[in-house]
DNA sequence: GAAGCTACTTCGCAATGCGAGGTAGTGTCA
DNA sequence: TGACACTACCTCGCATTGCGAAGTAGCTTC
């Protein structure tokens, strides 16, 4: 079972979540996700997601030149982004508990 | 946030799960899933998933004529299917708890 | 000056859920 | 009888989205 497919629709949520407390740039967000346990996330997925979320008006962005490497394109949640984070979070929780119940009732897996 | 995207990769697991205790035919499986809380699942998705699972060698199938309507194409788990169900179940539980932790740490949603 | 890490981008593919449409059998009810 | 509705299945093609591959570029270290 591919974790790739499980990520569909959830990566948005995950990216919004790791941006909640602190703005971040792509490469850094990638690291945060992997540290959080999503180790198989590809970099192209993150950059693509950021672009989509930005185009959807959920993120602000600004470029910061770095003294120790290439420039960094920072992203941060705006009001709409925070809103979406909450909504997506609830959707996820609901969905996950539906699935858990479905599995529990049939005694699937540990 | 689309539940459609959340279903990706999980529908396989859900279908395997509802077949664990009792064989079923497409239309019936659709009802089981909807009853279990996955109300937005489309019929085409279920039929497609069944075909894929069958082609992957995880299901047995046999046709039973019905006296109260069209014939029914039953599907049931075989050994490989039960195996896959357990593996996919564990993958899901792991993934879900990773996501939950990620959200919890940042105090997202209820 | 070759590696290797940081940092971002573009391209096109693969997987999969779904809507739309079609085919049939059965039952109901005016 | 004829219209409708429910059961039951199938096919086609689209939309979304995560990803691999490849490329560009700056910086540090050996």
């Amino acid at each position: 079972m591919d974790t790739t497919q499980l990520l569909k629709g959830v990566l948005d949520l995950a990216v919004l979540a790791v941006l909640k407390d602190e703005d971040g740039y792509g490469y850094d967000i990638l690291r945060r996700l992997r540290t959080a346990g999503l180790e198989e996330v590809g970099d192209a997925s993150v950059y693509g997601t950021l672009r989509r979320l930005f185009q959807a008006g959920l993120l602000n962005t600004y470029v910061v030149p770095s003294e120790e490497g290439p420039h960094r394109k920072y992203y941060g949640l705006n009001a709409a982004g925070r809103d979406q984070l909450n909504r997506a979070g609830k959707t996820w929780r609901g969905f996950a508990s539906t699935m858990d119940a479905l599995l529990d009732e049939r005694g699937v897996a540990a």
Side-chain angles (χ1 to χ4, degrees), chain A residues 13-81:
Chain A
L13 171 57
V15 167
L16 289 172
V18 299
L19 284 177
K20 191 193 177 196
D21 294 332
E22 206 174 352
D23 290 2
Y25 54 96
Y27 205 77
D28 180 45
I29 292 169
L30 182 65
R31 270 190 305 237
R32 292 189 201 174
L33 293 174
R34 289 185 169 158
T35 300
L38 302 175
E39 295 165 26
E40 344 66 0
V41 180
D43 62 334
S45 309
V46 171
Y47 288 114
T49 299
L50 286 171
R51 203 184 56 232
R52 260 186 300 116
L53 293 176
F54 174 69
Q55 283 173 341
L58 304 176
L59 301 180
N60 298 322
T61 185
Y62 48 98
V63 174
V64 175
S66 164
E67 288 164 5
E68 354 166 340
H71 71 284
R72 293 163 174 175
K73 197 163 170 184
Y74 276 80
Y75 292 92
L77 296 185
N78 58 24

Side-chain angles (χ1 to χ4, degrees), chain A residues 70-93:
Chain A
H71 71 284
R72 293 163 174 175
K73 197 163 170 184
Y74 276 80
Y75 292 92
L77 296 185
N78 58 24
R82 266 182 294 275
D83 234 64
Q84 177 62 13
L85 172 56
N86 283 319
R87 253 177 297 131
K90 278 176 194 152
T91 301
W92 161 258
R93 304 271 200 195

